[in-house]
Amino acid sequence: MDAWNAITISSSIVRLDSFSSGSFRRSRMLFFGHSAGTSIEKLPDKVILHIFSYLSHLEICRMAQICRRWRTLAYNTQLWKNVSLRPEVSGLHVGSLESLLSLISVRFGPSLRYIELPIELITHTVLHELSSKCPNLTHMLLDFSTAMQLHDFSEMQAFPAKLRYMCICLSEVIFMEGFMRKIYNFINGLEVLHLIGTYEKGEEEEEEIYEVINVHKLKSATPNLRVINLYGINFIDDSHIDAFSSNCIQLECLAVNYCNKVTGSTLKPLLARSKQLKCLLMNGTNLKSEYVMQAEWDKCSVQELDISGTDLSTECLIDLLTRIPTLRFLSAGQINGFNDSVLKAWMEGGNPKTLIALDLDSSDNLSDEALARFITRYGAQLQACVLSGMTHITDQLWMTIMPVLTNIRIIVMGTTERLSGNIHVDQLMDTIGSACTKLERLELRWDPENLRFSDKSQKAIDLLRVKCLKLRCLVLNDGRYYETVKANFERADRTTVVRTTTSCRVSAYHVLSNYNDLIFN
């Protein structure tokens, strides 16, 4: 393959989300040239390395097949700082342990900072090589989720000792204690811990639940944790939260989303011990109102709270929101008890003046009048607003409140349920483009059959694209309007902005102070 075809291929798969349209045009001029004699051979190595840095490792490996020079550049250790070896999540496939051991020595080495390993590559030999050949490895993901049996770790004597972040994807049936005993002495520097369960793979029928990892021993080995994420683990209960709070005095963020055995019975000691706890995420748990009301919210430091999908009563919600002193993030969707009286009490007796993110997805007992009053008063300070999943919240409410949302970065609107009326999306897009110039993420969940737009809709889309220059994600349902918007953005060289609801969802979590630490998988 000649060099000119090679650069055509590479430029076609460069990720453009980090380029502005102007910088991309300049890059394109550099690639294809406007003067005689310009070719890929004249680009310096550092420029090609920079181009390669926007590619996935799978794409980089393809580039290595072009020519000797590109092969040398593709295997530069600068491009191999963050490596996933899980092909099912867009990582590389390594065919054998011998191949991986060679890669660790030759390609990864001291440059490696982050690695993801599937169960078949988690052996004592691999972990020993990583500890000796990759001294700067600080982030590791170990995926045991598909394991039916563990490798033998009885001879393991070494493990990466500088880890600050560790994510372990648990199996439903494999007990981890044999492995964990070997690594306890190496992980006391951990600051971020993710234990990921099998919630998303679960079935409805009752099965025996195994405590596949000993949390009470783990907490003793990790006293420096700042962020703990226990996601979708069917055996996690309040005693495990109590265990972590008794030992991790630096805890800033605790997430137990979809751990349905958590009832909140240890909330009171958690808030009393964890003076630095600012973020508490309990989406989809089995919180009991009496336990939540017993906690001393008026003395806590919690500023970010997710209680979505719980069965908290109206009385409990009013008590909570009027006592908590400083709340910057609230996610309280899918709660039957969240109604107009809760919003009214919060406005009159609480402190919504510090709120920057509000998620009330599928809160069917809230009226559009109550929401309009609240957003009109506090909308100017909001950076994220999620009012989706409610059939009575249509474009009319959004058109009313949009001019107030001058600092908004994230908006989610609409419902997948078919509406009796229609959504006039041209006017809506025009208003968003004019009022919300700081917008970064937008999702419209309405059914395509409910969207009404004219032949002049390109003008409204143009306005949104030109005014909202920070917009990096616009999510729509598949349909005619999606194709129209997608084509418009692609003509402006912003090819990665428009996405479908089948592969992308917008969340208010982006404004959490610990968002980057909470990302896993």
Side-chain angles (χ1 to χ4, degrees):
M1 183 181 294
D2 62 32
W4 184 256
N5 287 336
I7 194 61
T8 303
I9 292 174
S10 69
S11 63
S12 71
I13 59 178
V14 168
R15 293 177 180 171
L16 303 178
D17 53 331
S18 297
F19 286 116
S20 66
S21 58
S23 63
F24 176 67
R25 290 190 190 96
R26 289 191 294 273
S27 300
R28 187 166 56 189
M29 289 173 66
L30 175 62
F31 285 158
F32 296 104
H34 286 250
S35 60
T38 301
S39 68
I40 181 61
E41 286 84 359
K42 294 188 178 182
L43 285 178
D45 288 353
K46 64 180 181 180
V47 173
I48 299 179
L49 271 177
H50 183 71
I51 295 170
F52 281 7
S53 70
Y54 290 98
L55 306 179
S56 70
H57 284 129
L58 184 60
E59 292 163 341
I60 289 173
C61 289
R62 290 172 182 160
M63 294 302 99
Q65 301 175 31
I66 302 300
C67 62
R68 290 181 181 177
R69 183 188 177 203
W70 281 30
R71 180 180 179 85
T72 301
L73 292 172
Y75 292 160
N76 188 300
T77 56
Q78 292 182 38
L79 300 175
W80 297 86
K81 293 180 180 179
N82 305 298
V83 178
S84 171
L85 301 178
R86 298 191 298 160
E88 70 277 8
V89 285
S90 303
L92 291 175
H93 173 71
V94 176
S96 66
L97 289 174
E98 291 73 20
S99 299
L100 176 55
L101 295 175
S102 175
L103 286 173
I104 292 172
S105 298
V106 176
R107 196 174 307 170
F108 300 165
S111 295
L112 188 66
R113 301 290 190 276
Y114 174 87
I115 191 167
E116 297 181 1
L117 295 173
I119 176 60
E120 62 270 17
L121 299 180
I122 305 174
T123 69
H124 70 86
T125 307
V126 169
L127 296 172
H128 182 275
E129 283 295 291
L130 287 171
S131 67
S132 62
K133 302 290 177 57
C134 305
N136 296 310
L137 181 62
T138 57
H139 292 60
M140 175 179 281
L141 183 149
L142 303 175
D143 188 353
F144 295 95
S145 61
T146 59
M148 297 306 293
Q149 113 177 34
L150 284 182
H151 292 283
D152 181 9
F153 294 100
S154 59
E155 297 181 12
M156 188 168 75
Q157 302 297 327
F159 189 80
K162 291 186 178 180
L163 292 182
R164 294 291 176 265
Y165 169 110
M166 186 165 70
C167 178
I168 299 178
C169 301
L170 303 175
S171 166
E172 285 186 327
V173 295
I174 299 300
F175 292 92
M176 301 287 298
E177 193 54 30
F179 169 74
M180 298 302 295
R181 272 198 307 269
K182 292 290 185 177
I183 71 170
Y184 283 144
N185 292 332
F186 299 97
I187 60 174
N188 56 14
L190 278 183
E191 297 178 8
V192 179
L193 173 66
H194 294 263
L195 296 180
I196 309 305
T198 55
Y199 166 80
E200 294 177 341
K201 301 177 184 178
E203 299 180 355
E204 292 298 324
E205 66 256 20
E206 290 290 331
E207 295 181 358
E208 188 173 357
I209 296 174
Y210 301 102
E211 189 165 338
V212 297
I213 194 167
N214 192 322
V215 171
H216 295 277
K217 289 184 179 179
L218 176 60
K219 62 97 177 180
S220 299
T222 53
N224 297 306
L225 289 176
R226 294 184 299 102
V227 177
I228 300 173
N229 178 25
L230 311 175
Y231 181 90
I233 306 176
N234 53 16
F235 65 82
I236 289 291
D237 58 27
D238 299 278
S239 69
H240 300 109
I241 296 176
D242 190 59
F244 275 120
S245 68
S246 67
N247 195 57
C248 304
I249 61 173
Q250 301 179 58
L251 190 60
E252 298 173 6
C253 175
L254 174 64
V256 290
N257 291 341
Y258 305 108
C259 295
N260 55 25
K261 284 194 172 184
V262 172
T263 65
S265 62
T266 57
L267 270 175
K268 186 173 182 178
L270 170 68
L271 298 181
R273 294 167 181 162
S274 305
K275 298 298 184 183
Q276 299 183 50
L277 185 66
K278 292 182 173 61
C279 180
L280 185 56
L281 309 178
M282 300 180 289
N283 188 346
T285 57
N286 194 26
L287 289 179
K288 305 297 183 186
S289 295
E290 58 268 29
Y291 295 145
V292 175
M293 294 173 71
Q294 287 171 10
E296 297 179 328
W297 295 101
D298 48 336
K299 298 179 182 179
C300 76
S301 301
V302 173
Q303 299 178 6
E304 299 167 343
L305 183 65
D306 187 352
I307 49 175
S308 295
T310 60
D311 291 325
L312 297 180
S313 66
T314 299
E315 179 188 9
C316 175
L317 292 167
I318 292 175
D319 177 77
L320 169 63
L321 294 177
T322 53
R323 281 202 293 149
I324 196 164
T326 306
L327 197 60
R328 67 186 297 274
F329 177 101
L330 176 66
S331 181
Q334 306 170 51
I335 302 179
N336 289 330
F338 206 115
N339 53 33
D340 291 0
S341 61
V342 175
L343 270 188
K344 182 180 179 182
W346 190 17
M347 293 171 66
E348 294 176 352
N351 183 28
K353 294 180 180 179
T354 58
L355 191 72
I356 67 165
L358 180 66
D359 182 347
L360 296 175
D361 175 66
S362 301
S363 296
D364 294 324
N365 292 327
L366 281 170
S367 67
D368 49 357
E369 292 86 359
L371 285 168
R373 283 195 299 270
F374 187 89
I375 301 296
T376 300
R377 181 179 298 186
Y378 301 108
Q381 68 200 41
L382 290 181
Q383 296 181 24
C385 184
V386 180
L387 301 179
S388 52
M390 295 176 274
T391 55
H392 62 289
I393 305 300
T394 64
D395 53 334
Q396 295 303 313
L397 175 65
W398 283 104
M399 294 288 291
T400 301
I401 65 175
M402 203 68 71
V404 184
L405 302 175
T406 53
N407 287 302
I408 204 73
R409 292 166 46 202
I410 299 170
I411 295 177
V412 183
M413 60 178 72
T415 176
T416 55
E417 296 180 51
R418 292 290 292 272
L419 304 178
S420 55
N422 292 317
I423 304 299
H424 299 281
V425 71
D426 286 350
Q427 189 178 3
L428 185 60
M429 286 293 197
D430 189 79
T431 305
I432 294 173
S434 300
C436 307
T437 56
K438 297 181 181 179
L439 193 64
E440 297 175 9
R441 291 176 171 84
L442 171 64
E443 180 174 356
L444 277 66
R445 294 182 181 172
W446 284 298
D447 188 294
E449 295 300 320
N450 285 123
L451 297 182
R452 291 293 174 266
F453 55 98
S454 68
D455 294 336
K456 298 180 180 180
S457 63
Q458 292 286 354
K459 184 177 180 181
I461 301 169
D462 285 339
L463 179 64
L464 177 74
R465 177 174 48 76
V466 171
K467 291 287 188 179
C468 301
L469 294 176
K470 295 183 179 180
L471 188 65
R472 65 181 67 177
C473 181
L474 171 53
V475 181
L476 301 163
N477 269 306
D478 275 317
R480 284 180 54 222
Y481 190 69
Y482 163 77
E483 295 297 339
T484 301
V485 176
K486 186 172 183 289
N488 184 291
F489 274 78
E490 287 181 343
R491 282 195 297 271
D493 292 331
R494 296 176 67 182
T495 59
T496 63
V497 173
V498 184
R499 310 171 192 182
T500 70
T501 53
T502 56
S503 59
C504 184
R505 280 296 174 95
V506 172
S507 167
Y509 269 25
H510 288 279
V511 302
L512 289 175
S513 53
N514 292 102
Y515 173 74
N516 289 331
D517 291 326
L518 287 168
I519 297 173
F520 66 91
N521 270 8

